[in-house]
Amino acid sequence: MSERPLTLMAVHAHPDDEAIGTGGILARYSTEGVRTVLVTCTNGELGDAPGGLKPGEPGHDEAVVVALRRQELEASCEVLGVSHLELLGYHDSGMEGWPQNDAPNSFWRTPVEDAAGRLAALMRAFEPQVVVTYDENGFYGHPDHIQTNRITRAAIADCGIPDKLYYTALARSRLRGFREILTNAGIEAPAETEESPDFGTPDELVTTTIDCSAVAGRKYASLAAHASQSDNIFFLQMGEELFSSVMGSEDFVRVSDSTGAPVPENDLFAGLR
C-alpha cells in the first residue's frame, strides 16, 4: 500500500464556489485528518465590488475585487480546515453570454491543455486519491465551471493520479423539498430552480451522499466569509439555523473509480481505507 496520505482535491472556478459546492466535505474530511487541497482557477474579478457594485458600473475596480476575494477565500479555507490552497490565477470570464466570455485573457478562452498541464502538475505534487469538480455543464452552465470540468478531465487523462473522480450534484428529490421549506420560511427560491425543469441531478444518477450535518455550521460560516458576494450567495438569506437543518448532506456522482467500491456510497474514500 502507498504511504501517501489520504487526500481530497476539490477543483473550483471562483472564490466562494468551494463553500457552496463542497464546504461540507472539505470541513468533514479535514476533521477526519484527511489532507484537503483546494484549487481555485480564477481570481473572481467579475464578482461584486465593495458596496455591491457590479462589473461595468462606475467604481467597480477589478484589482480591489481580486484582493478582497483573495482575503475572503483564505478566511473560508481557514474555517473549512483546507490544508492547501492553490490559485491558478486566470481571469474570471463572467456569466454565460457576458462579453467578457470572449476576452483574450479569460479562463474560458484559455487553451484547455495549458491550464490542464498546470493542474496535472498539482495532482502529481499532492497525489489525491479523490478529486471533485463540476459536471460537463458546470452544474448550471457557467463558462468558468464548464472550463474547470474540461481542464480537470484533461489533467486526469494526462497524469492518471486519482483513484476516484466525482461531480458535484443536487438530487432533484431534495430540490423539491428544498423549495417547499423555503416557501414555508417566506423565502423566494432562486429563479434557476423554478424556471428550469432540468435543474438538479436525476436521483438515479446520484451515487454518493455524504453526511455533513456535524459541520453544517462551518459550511455556513465559510459562505459568510465571502461577505462581499452576499448578493450572489442565496444561501446566506436562510440564516445559519435553517441552512444547517436543510444542507446537512452533499450529493455527488461518481464518474470514475478504480477501487471497485459498491454504490451507493456514504464516503468519498470508500474502497481506499
Side-chain angles (χ1 to χ4, degrees), residues 64 83 125 143 145 157 167 175 217 250:
V64 171
S83 309
H145 290 214
Y167 291 162
L175 185 60
E250 292 179 349

Side-chain angles (χ1 to χ4, degrees), residues 90-91 103-116 147 151:
Y90 291 106
H91 195 286
N105 65 337
S106 72
F107 184 43
W108 178 245
R109 289 287 299 274
T110 298
V112 168
E113 60 271 19
D114 292 354
Q147 184 77 330
I151 74 163

Side-chain angles (χ1 to χ4, degrees), residues 72-172:
E72 292 176 338
L73 178 59
E74 291 174 348
S76 171
C77 287
E78 185 172 355
V79 168
L80 297 175
V82 170
S83 309
H84 299 274
L85 171 62
E86 299 292 334
L87 305 172
L88 296 188
Y90 291 106
H91 195 286
D92 193 339
S93 308
M95 299 295 287
E96 182 181 11
W98 287 16
Q100 294 95 331
N101 294 174
D102 294 320
N105 65 337
S106 72
F107 184 43
W108 178 245
R109 289 287 299 274
T110 298
V112 168
E113 60 271 19
D114 292 354
R118 297 178 60 197
L119 181 57
L122 291 174
M123 290 181 180
R124 291 187 177 98
F126 290 105
E127 296 187 307
Q129 293 90 350
V130 174
V131 171
V132 178
T133 192
Y134 320 102
D135 63 20
E136 293 90 342
N137 189 45
F139 192 64
Y140 65 98
H142 194 298
D144 285 332
H145 290 214
I146 294 171
Q147 184 77 330
T148 299
N149 168 275
R150 291 173 177 171
I151 74 163
T152 301
R153 289 187 290 118
I156 292 173
D158 179 15
C159 68
I161 294 290
D163 298 284
K164 306 175 87 172
L165 170 65
Y166 292 90
Y167 291 162
T168 56
L170 179 59
R172 287 181 184 165

